[in-house]
Amino acid sequence: MLCFGGTGVPIVLLHGLMGRARTWWRVAEWLRPYGAVYGLDARGHGSAPRVGPWTTERFTEDVADALRTLDAGPAVLIGHSMGGLHAWSTAAKHPELVRAVVSEDFAPDQRGRTVETWRGYFESWPVPFSSLDHVRAFFGDAGEYFADCVEERDDGFHLVADLEDLYVIAAEWGRRDYWSIVDAIRCPLLLVEGEHTAMPPGQQALVAERVPGAKHLVVPGSAHLPHDEAPETYRGAVEAFLSQVLGR
């Protein structure tokens, strides 16, 4: 667990597929006034163990175990993509551990999608990248995010996570849906969706309809990474949500 600083209510940041906790550092900078901010490396990512099983249930228990280790009361979970799913699932299965959830650009039903689409895209990347500037230039608006997803080796910069592990993780999303998890969420929920989302259309709005009191925001001009692609809009939405949830 990476500690970003702050005191009070625990705020735990959950990254997306191929990310790691440190990708959240720009967000953590402005979150600190709201609580004690932490980032968790999901298994197979960052410094976490690179062992399965690669199931949503296992990732959920990892989050729950981390929250119990903090022993600081119910936490606010803020998740991007895969991290949003893990936040939903933890809130549904361990409601005593979760005070509120912010979910960014994940949809509960992606059945029929295969990892082959992702595989072709990932394997087209010019890995190893020659420098961090090369990473930033290649990924454009998401360049700062991906610069935090790589590590330097003798021949250049490589992804920290293993692509074969990522394919197994993503494959599960194409085989099952998560509506039962959504329907079990009872805490405050904010869904942040990119205007040009990578997710099936309409589902994040439907999640907001099915979870009592949930809020849904579509961020103009952003795709799958609103917190990096439209940081001011994302920040405003999350700060307003936290102010309400935490009574600030």
Side-chain angles (χ1 to χ4, degrees):
M1 185 92 76
L2 178 61
C3 180
F4 288 107
T7 60
V9 174
I11 301 174
V12 178
L13 305 170
L14 306 175
H15 62 79
L17 191 70
M18 84 170 53
R20 53 176 165 170
R22 71 176 58 186
T23 63
W24 284 109
W25 71 268
R26 287 172 292 278
V27 172
E29 288 288 305
W30 52 262
L31 276 176
R32 280 196 293 268
Y34 293 90
V37 186
Y38 301 89
L40 180 65
D41 283 335
R43 62 177 54 227
H45 297 72
S47 60
R50 300 196 176 200
V51 293
W54 308 111
T55 63
T56 299
E57 286 73 21
R58 181 62 265 172
F59 286 113
T60 299
E61 294 312 309
D62 289 343
V63 176
D65 289 345
L67 298 181
R68 293 189 188 101
T69 298
L70 289 176
D71 192 26
V76 176
L77 299 181
I78 298 180
H80 167 243
S81 191
M82 176 186 77
L85 169 62
H86 298 166
W88 291 350
S89 186
T90 306
K93 296 179 183 300
H94 302 283
E96 75 284 358
L97 297 176
V98 182
R99 184 165 185 165
V101 168
V102 177
S103 167
E104 180 185 3
D105 217 53
F106 194 85
D109 189 352
Q110 300 179 54
R111 286 175 295 176
R113 288 189 170 190
T114 73
V115 298
E116 293 311 310
T117 300
W118 298 102
R119 187 188 302 272
Y121 174 54
F122 292 162
E123 294 181 1
S124 73
W125 295 354
V127 177
F129 293 93
S130 59
S131 67
L132 290 178
D133 282 343
H134 185 194
V135 175
R136 294 184 183 102
F138 182 80
F139 290 105
D141 289 345
E144 290 297 335
Y145 174 86
F146 281 100
D148 289 326
C149 295
V150 298
E151 63 183 0
E152 187 173 14
R153 301 177 191 167
D154 289 344
D155 60 344
F157 288 83
H158 294 255
L159 289 172
V160 177
D162 188 303
L163 284 177
E164 293 304 319
D165 295 339
L166 305 187
Y167 297 146
V168 177
I169 294 168
E172 183 192 57
W173 307 338
R175 295 193 302 266
R176 59 185 290 195
D177 72 82
Y178 297 96
W179 287 116
S180 62
I181 286 174
V182 166
D183 291 338
I185 297 171
R186 292 294 178 268
C187 66
L189 171 64
L190 170 65
L191 297 116
V192 180
E193 178 177 1
E195 179 185 11
H196 308 294
T197 178
M199 296 292 116
Q203 289 191 25
Q204 293 176 75
L206 184 55
V207 171
E209 293 176 9
R210 292 172 69 146
V211 177
K215 303 178 186 300
H216 174 231
L217 171 69
V218 176
V219 179
S222 67
H224 190 50
L225 278 163
H227 73 267
D228 262 6
E229 296 160 342
E232 293 305 317
T233 302
Y234 177 86
R235 176 177 178 173
V238 173
E239 287 194 319
F241 178 71
L242 292 178
S243 294
Q244 183 176 37
V245 166
L246 303 178
R248 297 293 180 90

